[in-house]
């Protein structure tokens, strides 16, 4: 066996998990900036610092990479909700905490709104093809349903509230605020992106939803 020369380098072993995560992070930024149609695989690979062929190796194609990003941003918020341990709280406190956490997540992740807007413009083509998203949301619906039933038993919530409709309302009241902050600020002549205005909106959404649930 020939002796190893001093100038030889030892090839680094590829870390598949780290590489995949770098690609997802780069893709999330690229898709949020340019949308699915405008995003370029070349730019994603360059930003991740990897060969373009690794995008296809790990994800198959651009569509699959985009779906992986969407599943990631949804999983982010579902994981946050799981950490709240809502079912161990009194019903009213549980709903308030869910509302506040949903609001705070949108405030901290503006790219979530951009990505969802882009996917909705495309008719949810990628989301419809996901095997994970429906299963990801089912535990949330069960949890909200349990909290509502506990609230009815405790006499603090009225009967007949649909947990899916409730969650859509919670999400919508916050989502609309963040997705339309520039135009709303211009229309009403105030900076709705300020910390004070965000606090006021957060409190208003929680109070409004809880009032709607009372008997």
């Amino acid at each position: 066996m020939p002796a190893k020369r001093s100038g030889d380098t030892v090839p680094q072993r590829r870390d598949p998990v780290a590489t995949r995560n770098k690609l997802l992070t780069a893709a999330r930024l690229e898709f949020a900036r340019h949308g699915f149609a405008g995003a370029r695989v070349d730019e994603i690979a360059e930003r991740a610092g990897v060969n373009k062929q690794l995008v296809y190796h790990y994800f198959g194609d651009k569509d699959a990479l985009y779906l992986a990003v969407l599943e990631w941003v949804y999983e982010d918020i579902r994981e946050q909700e799981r950490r709240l341990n809502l079912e161990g709280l009194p019903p009213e406190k549980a709903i308030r905490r869910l509302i506040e956490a949903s609001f705070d997540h949108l405030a901290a992740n503006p790219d979530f709104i951009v990505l969802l807007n882009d996917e909705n413009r495309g008719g949810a083509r990628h989301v419809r093809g996901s095997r994970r998203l429906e299963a990801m949301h089912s535990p949330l619906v069960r949890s909200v349903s349990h909290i509502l039933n506990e609230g009815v038993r405790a006499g603090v919530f009225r009967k007949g509230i649909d947990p899916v409709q409730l969650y859509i309302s919670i999400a919508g009241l916050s989502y609309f605020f963040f997705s339309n902050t520039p135009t709303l600020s211009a229309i009403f002549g105030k900076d709705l992106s300020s910390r004070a205005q965000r606090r006021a909106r957060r409190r208003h959404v929680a109070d409004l939803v809880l009032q709607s649930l009372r008997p």
Side-chain angles (χ1 to χ4, degrees):
M1 178 181 293
K4 184 177 175 11
R5 293 173 296 180
S6 59
D8 288 346
T9 58
V10 178
Q12 294 183 341
R13 296 183 64 185
R14 185 185 301 159
D15 182 340
V17 174
T19 300
R20 192 176 189 278
N21 288 340
K22 284 194 293 186
L23 284 168
L24 279 173
T25 300
R28 181 168 177 167
L29 181 59
E30 177 75 4
F31 287 129
R33 285 182 175 177
H34 303 290
F36 175 77
R40 296 181 60 226
V41 173
D42 287 344
E43 292 293 330
I44 293 169
E46 183 176 344
R47 184 174 287 115
V50 302
N51 187 288
K52 176 182 175 180
Q53 292 306 313
L54 289 179
V55 175
Y56 303 108
H57 173 73
Y58 285 109
F59 297 98
D61 57 20
K62 181 181 172 183
D63 285 276
L65 177 57
Y66 185 64
L67 176 56
V69 169
L70 291 173
E71 290 176 338
W72 176 24
V73 298
Y74 274 112
E75 177 59 28
D76 270 355
I77 194 168
R78 296 291 84 83
E79 177 58 30
Q80 179 193 44
E81 289 162 350
R82 284 192 291 270
R83 289 197 299 267
L84 297 175
N85 295 317
L86 296 176
E87 294 184 28
L89 299 174
E92 287 186 298
K93 187 173 183 179
I95 294 296
R96 182 176 289 275
R97 183 169 291 185
L98 176 61
I99 295 166
E100 292 172 346
S102 297
F103 189 95
D104 292 345
H105 187 83
L106 291 176
N109 297 276
D111 64 342
F112 181 74
I113 290 173
V114 175
L115 289 164
L116 263 61
N117 284 346
D118 185 56
E119 177 64 1
N120 276 298
R121 280 194 296 271
R125 177 169 66 88
H126 297 87
V127 166
R128 291 180 192 280
S130 174
R131 298 177 180 178
R132 295 183 56 206
L133 288 175
E134 184 175 352
M136 196 185 296
H137 284 68
S138 295
L140 172 66
V141 174
R142 287 195 297 269
S143 178
V144 172
S145 181
H146 173 79
I147 294 165
L148 289 173
N149 289 334
E150 288 295 306
V152 170
R153 280 193 283 271
V156 296
F157 293 158
R158 59 185 174 84
K159 295 180 180 179
I161 299 166
D162 185 318
V164 173
Q165 291 294 341
L166 174 61
Y167 189 78
I168 292 172
S169 294
I170 290 171
L173 287 167
S174 298
Y175 189 99
F176 182 86
F177 174 79
F178 285 107
S179 65
N180 293 275
T181 293
T183 51
L184 292 171
S185 296
I187 289 167
F188 294 111
K190 58 176 67 177
D191 181 11
L192 296 177
S193 67
S194 70
R195 184 174 298 179
Q197 289 296 326
R198 285 188 175 186
R199 280 200 304 265
R201 179 62 185 176
R202 184 179 188 264
R203 184 171 57 252
H204 173 79
V205 172
D207 291 345
L208 183 68
V209 172
L210 283 168
Q211 185 60 39
S212 76
L213 300 180
R214 294 188 175 114

